[in-house]
Amino acid sequence: MLTHSFCPGVTRGLANLVFATSMMVTGLSSLPAMAAETLLTVVSGDGTETAFTRDRLESLPQHAFRTETQWTWEEKEFSGPLLTDVLAEVGISDGTVELVADDGYQVQLNIEDSADYLTKDYPIIATRTDGQPFAVDEMGPLWVIFPYDGHPELEAKPVYDISIWQLVKIVDK
């Protein structure tokens, strides 16, 4: 079961536009996150927060694939650890987690109900696109992504809902 919420009265697209505009004005949008900077915080069921830097995420087993997305309109290589490996790193293997984007977009993911979409090959939390870290204005620095090409079963609303870019937090519910 997947549920999602938006900022009240504001669509995700509008929120992204406002955020991207503010980042361009400040000049921060084109800078990839530094290796020692916390990119992702995972909050366990007991409230323990675990920080993941780029280095920590990239120390996990890496997976890569090339795919086109409905958001990039061209084939790119995405690489990073499996979402399930990141969850396992903090002891989360079942139940519901909430994925939270930098712009406030949230989606709840029931791990058991979504087993068809959480495989040994995907989704990954992409830390790189075409071999390079990517910035906020490129939907980074983290993006939950699937190999859509060649997998028609992934062209489904539940998959698109959890294809969250600018991922900053995962909360064990």
Side-chain angles (χ1 to χ4, degrees):
M1 177 180 168
L2 295 169
T3 58
H4 56 81
S5 62
F6 297 93
C7 301
V10 179
T11 66
R12 185 165 191 217
L14 180 58
N16 278 342
L17 177 63
V18 169
F19 179 75
T21 302
S22 68
M23 295 304 287
M24 283 187 264
V25 169
T26 62
L28 298 176
S29 64
S30 61
L31 300 174
M34 302 302 289
E37 178 183 343
T38 297
L39 299 182
L40 177 66
T41 301
V42 180
V43 183
S44 299
D46 65 3
T48 302
E49 292 190 5
T50 304
F52 284 85
T53 62
R54 178 176 307 285
D55 286 344
R56 183 168 183 185
L57 288 166
E58 291 183 349
S59 73
L60 296 171
Q62 298 293 290
H63 298 261
F65 48 78
R66 294 192 67 77
T67 193
E68 185 176 329
T69 78
Q70 65 180 6
W71 306 283
T72 59
W73 303 285
E74 62 183 33
E75 186 178 89
K76 292 181 174 278
E77 180 186 73
F78 295 92
S79 60
L82 289 171
L83 171 60
T84 54
D85 286 349
V86 173
L87 296 175
E89 191 71 6
V90 296
I92 300 171
S93 61
D94 58 13
T96 299
V97 294
E98 182 174 68
L99 307 174
V100 182
D102 193 50
D103 65 3
Y105 176 82
Q106 304 168 20
V107 63
Q108 290 194 4
L109 168 68
N110 181 288
I111 295 170
E112 292 86 5
D113 291 349
S114 301
D116 290 345
Y117 305 124
L118 302 175
T119 74
K120 64 178 181 54
D121 297 316
Y122 56 79
I124 64 171
I125 298 178
T127 60
R128 295 176 180 268
T129 182
D130 292 330
Q132 300 298 315
F134 55 118
V136 170
D137 66 345
E138 299 169 315
M139 300 180 158
L142 301 177
W143 188 353
V144 177
I145 194 92
F146 292 81
Y148 306 101
D149 292 352
H151 293 274
E153 71 277 12
L154 297 177
E155 294 178 21
K157 184 175 181 344
V159 172
Y160 294 143
D161 286 347
I162 59 177
S163 298
I164 185 170
W165 57 85
Q166 299 170 346
L167 178 69
V168 294
K169 185 181 279 189
I170 300 174
V171 180
D172 187 7
K173 296 293 194 172

